[in-house]
Amino acid sequence: MQLTSNSDKITRDFFDSLLIETRYLDAVLPTTEMTLFGESFRTPIMTAALSHLHNTAQNGMTIYAQAAAQSGAVHWVGMGGDEELEDVVATGARTIKIIKPHADNREVLRKIEHAVKVGCLAVGMDIDHAFNSEGGYDNIFGLPMKAKSTKELKDFVEAAGVPFIVKGVLSPHDAEKCLKAGCAGLVVSHHHGMVQYAVPPLMALPEILSATGGSVPVFVDCGIESGMDAYKCLALGAKAVSVGRHLMPLLKSGADAVAGRINEMTAELAGVMARTGISTLDKMDSTIIHRRAF
C-alpha cells in the first residue's frame, strides 16, 4: 500500500506553530515599502508564478497582472505563450518571468530573450519541474523537460543580462549551486506539494539564508494566506513572499477583487509590524518569533 501525505498541510501546520511576541514601547507607524532590483514597491507581498489561469477566469493571466499593478506589487508569471506575456507586461505590472526547464535549451534561451525584450524586471527557471513522479523526465502539455546542470544554469544567467532567479530551491545544496551559477535570487518553494513530505519552505529558509549569506534576495512561496503568514516569513529573513492559490478564487471577480485582497494582506502585515515594534522591512527581527511543538 502506497503511503500518501499532504505537504501543503505540513506547511500550514508549520506556519501555525510559529508564535510572536509583542513590542509596543517606542514603536511607530510602519511602512511596508520594498526595494527590489533597484525599483520600489508598496508591499513585499507578491503574486506567485502561476500558469494557465484561463482555466480559472477568462483573461485570468491579465487580470492577475492588473491586480499586481494596482496594488504596487511585484508580479510573477509562469508557463505561457509569448503573446500572453506581452499582454501581462502591457498592464504595467513589473513582471518576473519564470521559465520551465525545457529539454531543448534553445527554447529556454528564446524565452529568456523574449522576456527581456518585452521589458520583464527579471527572468528565472522553475527547476522543480524537471522530473515526473515515476523517475523520468517531466513532460508538460507535450513539452519535454530535463534537469539542468550548474553549468547550464550559468549559461542562462549570462544570456539573460537581467536578474536571473531560480524557483524551487528547498535545500542549502541547491542554494549554493545557484550562487555558483551567478543567480540573483532564489524562491524557496515545494511547488504546492509536488513531493510528498516536503520540508515546509519556511522551515528550510534559515539554512538557505545561511548558505547564501545575504548575497541575494530569498523569497518564500507556498501556503501564504495572510499578512501574518507574510510577517513570519519576513521576520525569519525572507525578502518578500509570493501568494498564488489564495488569490485564485478571486480572479472571477476581477482585478479589483484580487488587488483588494493583496492590499488587505499588506494592511494585516502592517498591523503586526506596528504591534511588534518593526518600523520598516529592513528592521525585521527573528527573535520575535517563537515556536511551539510541531
Side-chain angles (χ1 to χ4, degrees), residues 60-244:
M61 295 298 289
T62 302
I63 291 170
Y64 194 40
Q66 289 170 336
Q70 289 178 25
S71 56
V74 178
H75 181 58
W76 297 65
V77 61
M79 194 174 190
D82 292 354
E83 185 176 347
E84 181 178 81
L85 179 60
E86 291 163 12
D87 290 343
V88 163
V89 174
T91 66
R94 298 300 288 132
T95 300
I96 298 175
K97 168 66 176 177
I98 295 297
I99 300 163
K100 297 297 183 191
H102 296 275
D104 186 350
N105 283 346
R106 292 172 298 182
E107 179 64 5
V108 174
L109 292 169
R110 189 196 69 77
K111 285 183 172 292
I112 290 173
E113 181 180 12
H114 177 258
V116 173
K117 181 179 178 180
V118 300
C120 286
L121 173 65
V123 296
M125 177 164 282
D126 182 3
I127 60 172
D128 57 11
H129 245 305
F131 298 101
N132 61 29
S133 61
E134 299 172 347
Y137 285 125
D138 208 347
N139 188 292
I140 306 173
F141 296 106
L143 299 172
M145 304 292 150
K146 188 176 181 181
K148 302 303 178 185
S149 67
T150 306
K151 172 61 169 62
E152 288 173 302
L153 201 58
K154 184 176 181 180
D155 291 341
F156 301 148
V157 170
E158 293 175 351
V162 297
F164 191 96
I165 301 168
V166 172
K167 178 177 179 287
V169 176
L170 205 60
S171 66
H173 173 277
D174 278 353
E176 290 168 358
K177 292 194 172 188
C178 287
L179 290 185
K180 184 178 179 180
C183 294
L186 310 175
V187 181
V188 186
S189 170
H190 58 46
H191 207 117
H192 190 51
M194 181 175 286
V195 176
Q196 293 184 2
Y197 300 103
V199 177
L202 191 52
M203 180 185 283
L205 179 64
E207 287 189 345
I208 290 173
L209 288 171
S210 179
T212 60
S215 58
V216 298
V218 178
F219 312 106
V220 172
D221 186 29
C222 300
I224 296 162
E225 300 177 347
S226 67
M228 176 64 82
D229 288 347
Y231 178 92
K232 292 175 181 180
C233 296
L234 298 166
L236 291 178
K239 173 69 175 181
V241 302
S242 291
V243 182

Side-chain angles (χ1 to χ4, degrees), residues 256-269:
D256 289 348
V258 180
R261 181 55 190 147
I262 296 173
N263 291 337
E264 287 176 357
M265 291 177 69
T266 300
E268 292 165 6
L269 168 62

